[in-house]
Amino acid sequence: MANSPKSKDGLKRAIYLILIFGGFAILRNFVPSGLDQAGWDGFLVLFVAVLLWLTEAVPMAITAIFVLFFGAWVGFEAEGTILAGFSGTGTFFLLGAMIIGQIFTKVGLGKRISLYLLPMFGNRPKAVLLAVMLGTCVVSMFLADIPTALIFFSICMPLLEQNGCEPGKSKFGKAMMLGIPVGAAIGGIGTPAGSGMNAVTMSLLKSICDVEISFTQWSIVGVPVALASTVFAWFFFCIIFKPEISVVKGLESVKEERKAIGPLRGDELKFTIVFAVMLVLWFIPNYTGIDMYMTAWGGIFVMSMPGMNMVNWKEMNGKIDWSAVMICGAATALATVVSNLGTGEWLSNILADLFLADVAGMGMIVLLFVINLMMMVGHYPMPQGVSLAGLCLPVVGALALQLGLNPIVVCLPVCMSTSMLLLVPIDPTCYTTYSGGYWKIKDMMGTGVIITLGYVVINTVWTYLISVTGLLG
């Protein structure tokens, strides 16, 4: 009994807790020059939170709330000030994105879209793979990644079985089942609506640098980068996973199923109309005075009204990932307070002295490349995207202000990095097709390296080109 997996896990978690809090207690006594005790304590508490989330020594949601009160107890800031940051706009947008994603799945619109997209480019394996990956990418730009990936998975799985693509052996099956989560993850960076994490990082940037990225500014960079990165990933899959079939059978049945579902009606039609209005409003806040957060929750409110009845809260409540909401709120609160204590400026000065000032001197495109690469590599030790952004945004934002650069241009790669978790596939999106048995973790990580490098180059070049036009301010 003493050697049971449960007892071993408990011992491991206990060791993590001793090391984390023991290290905190020791390091508190060594305040670095250029930072006062409050700033150092704030940085250490934020790092404690990240380590607790990384090791899962206690449940992540409990850690999220604990660290807020722990920070106040340590004394680097008042309790009310820390808790005020928890209720940032990004946290509520994340919650709204989850609700909209659940409604999207419930009304059946996702299945309709996937049935139209699947045969779009023909019945050749490479063409079908491109249709699936681009379709998943485009839908994920505006709706939650996981429901989108699951819908395409449910359509493509029977198609693979019909074509005799055996799990674990079929290269086409592997490419298809990897392509769905890859397309969804990349598509999530396209617009702020693509992932609730995007809005969280936007809220962080507003709190830290007093700079606001609009829905349009993000999309001008994100949509082309997402599309180009998805095409790059498709091209790479076509090279390393050469299809063993020449024609994809069964697309005729997909077309028949598409005819069978008939025209838009009922909840599906109501959702389509409301969401279409939301999309328009997201792109024209300067003309309406309605920001993206009010648009999201206004749309949810309308979907909940009598006669609409698309939201059953008891049902919805059980499907919301409350842990993600609490983690994002805690990361936002701690990162904002720590930045206000001067920790971000202190770290940016160190990095500037070490190499970033020299990198910036080589030109904006080189700086963007280095920041993009650093964020991607940073996922290895810190795979929680919002935690990584919470640590890095204060630093990069302060560096931008210090060097007289546009904070939006420099910080946008940091914000977008939260969705690109292909190097360390711990995000649930990556596992939406894993149960099919067509790929193993090493396949996602191995292909993720090349796809991520391609994304880094594409993001760097396009962000630089857009920055030159002045569209980012």
Side-chain angles (χ1 to χ4, degrees):
M1 190 72 172
N3 292 322
S4 68
K6 188 173 181 180
S7 63
K8 287 181 179 179
D9 180 65
L11 177 61
K12 182 174 71 173
R13 290 163 58 200
I15 292 172
Y16 283 145
L17 288 171
I18 292 170
L19 291 174
I20 290 169
F21 285 102
F24 171 80
I26 293 170
L27 290 173
R28 276 199 75 197
N29 300 303
F30 299 93
V31 182
S33 59
L35 203 63
D36 60 16
Q37 185 69 55
W40 182 235
D41 284 348
F43 174 76
L44 290 179
V45 169
L46 178 58
F47 207 68
V48 163
V50 170
L51 290 175
L52 289 173
W53 286 326
L54 183 61
T55 59
E56 296 188 53
V58 295
M60 297 173 74
I62 293 174
T63 292
I65 304 303
F66 164 77
V67 291
L68 301 177
F69 293 100
F70 178 65
W73 177 76
V74 169
F76 66 83
E77 188 55 272
E79 190 174 272
T81 303
I82 297 175
L83 293 176
F86 184 88
S87 57
T89 51
T91 306
F92 288 107
F93 191 89
L94 170 63
L95 178 58
M98 291 180 182
I99 294 173
I100 293 169
Q102 292 297 332
I103 300 171
F104 169 71
T105 304
K106 178 183 175 183
V107 301
L109 182 61
K111 183 176 181 180
R112 177 186 294 273
I113 292 172
S114 65
L115 290 174
Y116 273 90
L117 291 174
L118 204 59
M120 183 168 55
F121 298 133
N123 61 0
R124 297 293 180 183
K126 292 180 181 179
V128 174
L129 178 61
L130 179 61
V132 168
M133 292 183 67
L134 276 180
T136 311
C137 171
V138 171
V139 176
S140 290
M141 289 182 187
F142 303 100
L143 292 157
D145 299 348
I146 295 174
T148 302
L150 287 173
I151 288 166
F152 275 88
F153 173 58
S154 67
I155 299 294
C156 293
M157 192 67 182
L159 202 63
L160 292 175
E161 292 172 354
Q162 190 174 343
N163 282 270
C165 299
E166 189 177 341
K169 294 182 179 180
S170 170
K171 290 186 177 181
F172 178 64
K174 182 178 290 187
M176 182 79 79
M177 290 294 107
L178 283 171
I180 291 171
V182 166
I186 295 175
I189 72 168
T191 75
S195 169
M197 298 298 179
N198 296 347
V200 172
T201 55
M202 289 169 71
S203 178
L204 266 173
L205 187 59
K206 172 69 174 174
S207 301
I208 292 166
C209 299
D210 197 28
V211 173
E212 192 161 359
I213 303 176
S214 71
F215 195 97
T216 302
Q217 285 176 319
W218 181 298
S219 303
I220 286 172
V221 175
V223 171
V225 168
L227 291 174
S229 298
T230 301
V231 171
F232 173 81
W234 165 78
F235 182 72
F236 176 59
F237 283 155
C238 288
I239 292 174
I240 62 170
F241 302 129
K242 294 187 183 298
E244 67 277 11
I245 57 176
S246 57
V247 175
V248 177
K249 304 172 186 175
L251 291 181
E252 294 78 14
S253 62
V254 170
K255 293 176 182 177
E256 289 300 318
E257 189 176 354
R258 187 172 69 193
K259 291 178 183 177
I261 61 176
L264 285 168
R265 59 185 178 271
D267 287 348
E268 193 180 10
L269 177 60
K270 289 185 284 187
F271 176 84
T272 302
I273 294 171
V274 174
F275 193 72
V277 173
M278 290 169 62
L279 281 178
V280 173
L281 292 177
W282 272 330
F283 281 101
I284 57 170
N286 292 337
Y287 297 99
T288 62
I290 305 173
D291 65 22
M292 57 183 278
Y293 311 104
M294 178 58 194
T295 296
W297 281 96
I300 294 170
F301 185 81
V302 170
M303 293 178 204
S304 308
M305 291 172 63
M308 302 296 278
N309 300 321
M310 284 181 272
V311 178
N312 180 325
W313 183 249
K314 287 185 178 179
E315 177 186 326
M316 194 70 66
N317 186 43
K319 295 180 178 179
I320 291 172
D321 186 356
W322 290 106
S323 293
V325 174
M326 288 188 276
I327 291 167
C328 289
T332 302
L334 288 177
T336 301
V337 171
V338 168
S339 176
N340 292 337
L341 292 172
T343 307
E345 185 178 355
W346 168 71
L347 280 172
S348 71
N349 287 334
I350 293 175
L351 291 176
D353 290 340
L354 287 175
F355 68 96
L356 281 183
D358 293 333
V359 169
M362 298 177 189
M364 176 63 80
I365 194 168
V366 177
L367 179 61
L368 287 172
F369 178 79
V370 171
I371 291 173
N372 265 303
L373 195 60
M374 284 174 59
M375 293 305 299
M376 294 301 105
V377 173
H379 282 305
Y380 275 115
M382 201 176 298
Q384 281 292 334
V386 72
S387 304
L388 180 62
L391 277 177
C392 294
L393 268 179
V395 179
V396 176
L399 178 70
L401 297 175
Q402 179 186 341
L403 299 177
L405 304 173
N406 184 345
I408 292 179
V409 176
V410 179
C411 292
L412 202 50
V414 180
C415 296
M416 288 183 171
S417 72
T418 56
S419 294
M420 286 297 294
L421 287 167
L422 301 179
L423 286 177
V424 188
I426 67 161
D427 188 85
T429 303
C430 296
Y431 290 97
T432 47
T433 62
Y434 185 72
S435 62
Y438 284 92
W439 59 273
K440 300 183 183 299
I441 301 299
K442 64 179 182 180
D443 297 317
M444 178 67 80
M445 295 186 72
T447 57
V449 172
I450 303 301
I451 295 171
T452 299
L453 286 174
Y455 161 80
V456 166
V457 173
I458 292 167
N459 189 305
T460 297
V461 173
W462 185 250
T463 304
Y464 173 74
L465 292 174
I466 293 298
S467 71
V468 172
T469 66
L471 292 174
L472 297 179

